[in-house]
């Protein structure tokens, strides 16, 4: 099998997306529409769990929301006025069906379903402890750890059991939990992963991004605050702050790549922030050229900002076809090479003889950039200058983003000059970390960053217990081998 998008193999994979509805006729239909809008956040699998008062109903499937949840019989099998849903790209646990969310369990005081965006960075340590106590896991997902912590809590009330469980976990999470008593939304104390709330009349909606509210005609009300837990049930909506106050650290990469450009994150239009990033990039590393060319689609807003700031014309020098399936079988290496151009192709008449500024959102392994630069040279570009709308990605993410191990990150192995030679560009430049903050309207404080920028700086805002213990174990094994 071959991915027809030659650039898909060199992106930080979006974490996951969650969507929940309380008090709506055919709630599962709304959830399916919301998940459509969040499809970019996870394309491996999708699931919906509903509750109709008499019980819980679930449907989970591999692949996209379309084709799995646009069938009447599927939605009819998910009755009830409350439902939660999830789109997934596996960051912890394999892509097996047992890991597809929402996860569901029958606890002592009733059914419990959970949809999770993020990553629990001490999940393996907790799992070992729970296993020793007799817990039997049905998946390899870190999300199931939360279910077992709730199930084994010594607290008597469900809400207290959930709070007790979350006090034991580290890392990043935006959670939607469905019980017989209501819908519960919760965001980690640092607000690393996004979560917003909206309404349609008396219906309450939670979603990973505002664009999912737009799709169902909901009014954006506010973000779920970092460390906030919201309970919605027959008694109304109640907000709790069960965690110690902390300085928020929302993920800065939401503005670089993860969120859809038509979303609003942290009160800022993602589209406008990406244009601002391009403008700052032009001021920091401008160069004399003929045209600015975005790498579609994620590089487009930054390229517009770069072009406007630099005065160099914006042109679509790479054309993307939207009518090609994600994968297809290829019989030979020669045909596989040709298949790459089905999704992205150089606009050769525009490129030939030109000095090109290529704008992309990031460089991960570098394989994407090598292909893009070569595509421009094959089309006759006179010069190819690459500009990246994020700082060099030198560190792995442990908060729900599927990042290659550090040894496979190009910027962790080479300086910028060496990277330029590797991708065969005439020049290469990245926006600075301070410039990225300025583009978002912030003045970065290195001693107390306002956002999680660990993939660029290595400044992780939480403990990484599992990683630390793994390194200690590997070090011990090496010492034992030497001895």
């Amino acid at each position: 099998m071959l991915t027809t998008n030659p650039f898909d193999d060199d992106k930080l994979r979006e974490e996951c997306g969650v969507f929940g509805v309380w008090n709506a006729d055919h709630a599962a239909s709304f959830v399916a529409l919301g998940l459509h809008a969040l499809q970019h956040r996870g394309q491996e699998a999708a699931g919906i769990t509903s509750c109709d008062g008499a019980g819980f109903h679930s449907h989970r499937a591999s692949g996209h929301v379309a084709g799995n949840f646009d069938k009447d019989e599927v939605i009819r099998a998910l009755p009830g006025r409350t439902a939660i849903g999830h789109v997934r790209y596996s960051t912890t646990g394999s892509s097996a069906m047992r890991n597809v969310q929402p996860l569901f369990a029958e606890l002592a005081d009733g059914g419990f379903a959970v949809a999770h965006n993020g990553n629990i960075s001490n999940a393996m340590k907790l799992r070992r402890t729970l296993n020793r106590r007799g817990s039997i896991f049905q998946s390899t997902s870190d999300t199931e750890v939360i279910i077992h912590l709730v199930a084994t809590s010594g607290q008597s009330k469900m809400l207290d059991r959930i709070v007790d469980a979350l006090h034991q976990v580290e890392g990043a999470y935006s959670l939607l939990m469905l019980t017989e008593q209501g819908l519960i939304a919760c965001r980690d104390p640092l607000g690393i992963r996004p979560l917003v709330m909206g309404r349609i009349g008396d219906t309450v909606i939670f979603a990973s991004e505002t664009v999912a509210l737009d799709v169902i005609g909901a009014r954006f009300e506010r973000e779920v605050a970092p460390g906030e837990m919201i309970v919605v049930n027959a008694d109304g909506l109640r907000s709790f702050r069960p965690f110690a106050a902390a300085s928020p650290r929302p993920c800065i990469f939401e503005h670089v790549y993860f969120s859809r450009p038509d979303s609003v994150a942290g009160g800022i239009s993602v589209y406008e922030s990406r244009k601002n990033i391009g403008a700052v990039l032009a001021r920091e590393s401008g160069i004399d050229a003929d045209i600015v060319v975005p790498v579609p689609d994620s590089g487009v807003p930054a390229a517009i900002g770069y072009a406007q700031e630099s005065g160099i014309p914006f042109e679509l020098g790479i054309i993307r076809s939207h009518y090609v399936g994600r994968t297809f079988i290829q019989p030979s290496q020669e045909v596989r090479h040709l298949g790459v151009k089905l999704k992205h192709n150089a606009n050769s008449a525009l490129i030939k003889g030109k000095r090109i500024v290529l704008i992309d959102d990031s460089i991960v392994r570098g394989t994407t950039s090598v292909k893009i630069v070569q595509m421009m040279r094959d089309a006759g570009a006179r010069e190819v200058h690459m500009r990246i709308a994020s700082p060099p990605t030198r560190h792995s993410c442990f908060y729900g983003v599927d990042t290659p191990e550090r040894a496979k990150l190009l910027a962790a192995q080479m300086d910028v000059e060496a990277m330029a030679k590797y991708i065969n560009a005439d020049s290469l430049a990245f926006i600075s970390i301070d410039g990225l903050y300025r583009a978002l309207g912030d003045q970065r404080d290195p001693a107390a960053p306002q956002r999680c920028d660990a993939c660029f700086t290595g400044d992780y805002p939480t403990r990484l217990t599992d990683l630390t213990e793994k390194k200690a174990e590997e070090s011990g094994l090496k010492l034992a081998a030497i001895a």
Side-chain angles (χ1 to χ4, degrees), residues 145-267:
V145 169
I146 296 172
I147 294 177
H148 285 274
L149 290 174
V150 173
T152 58
S153 171
Q155 301 295 320
S156 57
K157 296 180 180 179
M158 174 61 81
L159 191 60
D160 293 334
R161 294 159 75 93
I162 293 171
V163 171
D164 180 40
L166 295 181
H167 270 116
Q168 299 176 62
V169 305
E170 301 168 3
Y173 53 83
S174 284
L175 299 168
L176 295 181
M177 295 165 279
L178 187 58
T179 75
E180 293 172 2
Q181 292 77 42
L183 175 60
I184 302 166
C186 187
R187 196 173 175 197
D188 70 75
L190 297 179
I192 298 173
R193 299 267 66 88
L195 191 62
V196 299
M197 181 174 69
R199 289 182 184 269
I200 304 176
D202 294 331
T203 299
V204 180
I205 303 104
F206 296 98
S208 291
E209 293 183 38
T210 61
V211 66
L213 302 178
D214 298 339
V215 164
I216 66 167
R219 180 186 77 254
F220 168 72
E221 191 154 287
R222 64 179 179 87
E223 292 194 351
V224 176
E228 183 181 19
M229 179 177 288
I230 298 176
V231 179
V232 192
N233 56 26
D235 297 326
L237 186 150
R238 293 173 294 159
S239 172
F240 302 89
R241 297 297 181 98
F243 308 105
S247 297
R249 295 282 297 274
C251 173
I252 201 167
F253 217 86
E254 291 287 343
H255 282 277
V256 173
Y257 176 68
F258 292 141
S259 293
R260 266 180 47 165
D262 45 346
S263 281
V264 174

Side-chain angles (χ1 to χ4, degrees), residues 102-400:
L103 297 184
F104 175 79
E106 289 284 357
L107 306 186
D109 44 4
F112 181 79
V114 59
H116 171 209
N117 169 211
N119 194 56
I120 306 304
S121 57
N122 64 336
M124 293 309 299
K125 182 177 182 178
L126 291 170
R127 189 183 184 104
R128 287 193 295 268
T129 300
L130 289 162
N131 277 332
R132 286 194 292 268
R133 292 178 187 169
S135 291
I136 300 172
F137 283 77
Q138 302 299 313
S139 76
T140 58
S141 170
D142 61 334
T143 308
E144 192 180 356
V145 169
I146 296 172
I147 294 177
H148 285 274
L149 290 174
V150 173
T152 58
S153 171
Q155 301 295 320
S156 57
K157 296 180 180 179
M158 174 61 81
L159 191 60
D160 293 334
R161 294 159 75 93
I162 293 171
V163 171
D164 180 40
L166 295 181
H167 270 116
Q168 299 176 62
V169 305
E170 301 168 3
Y173 53 83
S174 284
L175 299 168
L176 295 181
M177 295 165 279
L178 187 58
T179 75
E180 293 172 2
Q181 292 77 42
L183 175 60
I184 302 166
C186 187
R187 196 173 175 197
D188 70 75
L190 297 179
I192 298 173
R193 299 267 66 88
L195 191 62
V196 299
M197 181 174 69
R199 289 182 184 269
I200 304 176
D202 294 331
T203 299
V204 180
I205 303 104
F206 296 98
S208 291
E209 293 183 38
T210 61
V211 66
L213 302 178
D214 298 339
V215 164
I216 66 167
R219 180 186 77 254
F220 168 72
E221 191 154 287
R222 64 179 179 87
E223 292 194 351
V224 176
E228 183 181 19
M229 179 177 288
I230 298 176
V231 179
V232 192
N233 56 26
D235 297 326
L237 186 150
R238 293 173 294 159
S239 172
F240 302 89
R241 297 297 181 98
F243 308 105
S247 297
R249 295 282 297 274
C251 173
I252 201 167
F253 217 86
E254 291 287 343
H255 282 277
V256 173
Y257 176 68
F258 292 141
S259 293
R260 266 180 47 165
D262 45 346
S263 281
V264 174
I268 306 170
S269 160
V270 175
Y271 178 76
E272 290 298 327
S273 66
R274 289 179 187 166
K275 282 178 62 181
N276 290 341
I277 290 169
V280 172
L281 185 59
R283 291 195 291 270
E284 289 187 341
S285 57
I287 195 164
D288 193 19
D290 299 310
I291 57 174
V292 175
V293 174
V295 177
D297 287 323
S298 58
V300 171
I304 292 173
Y306 190 102
Q308 290 176 346
E309 180 67 22
S310 66
I312 302 171
F314 169 94
E315 298 286 359
L316 294 178
I318 302 173
I319 305 301
R320 178 186 174 188
S321 169
H322 294 266
Y323 306 103
V324 181
R326 187 168 178 81
T327 58
F328 59 96
I329 296 172
Q330 294 292 350
S332 69
Q333 177 64 36
E334 181 181 3
V335 177
R336 281 197 295 271
H337 175 72
L338 294 174
V340 163
K341 294 188 176 182
L342 286 178
K343 195 100 180 210
H344 289 83
N345 191 40
N347 189 350
S348 299
L350 179 72
I351 296 298
K352 188 174 182 181
K354 299 289 199 319
R355 298 168 299 170
I356 309 299
V357 179
L358 276 172
I359 308 291
D360 204 358
D361 59 85
S362 60
I363 290 182
V364 183
R365 294 179 180 88
T367 53
T368 293
S369 303
V370 169
K371 294 173 184 176
I372 300 168
V373 172
Q374 190 58 50
M375 181 184 291
M376 295 295 95
R377 295 203 183 281
D378 290 345
R382 182 152 56 98
E383 296 176 8
V384 181
H385 303 277
M386 196 111 193
R387 296 294 179 265
I388 306 300
S390 64
T393 303
R394 295 192 172 101
H395 304 272
S396 298
C397 177
F398 299 98
Y399 300 122

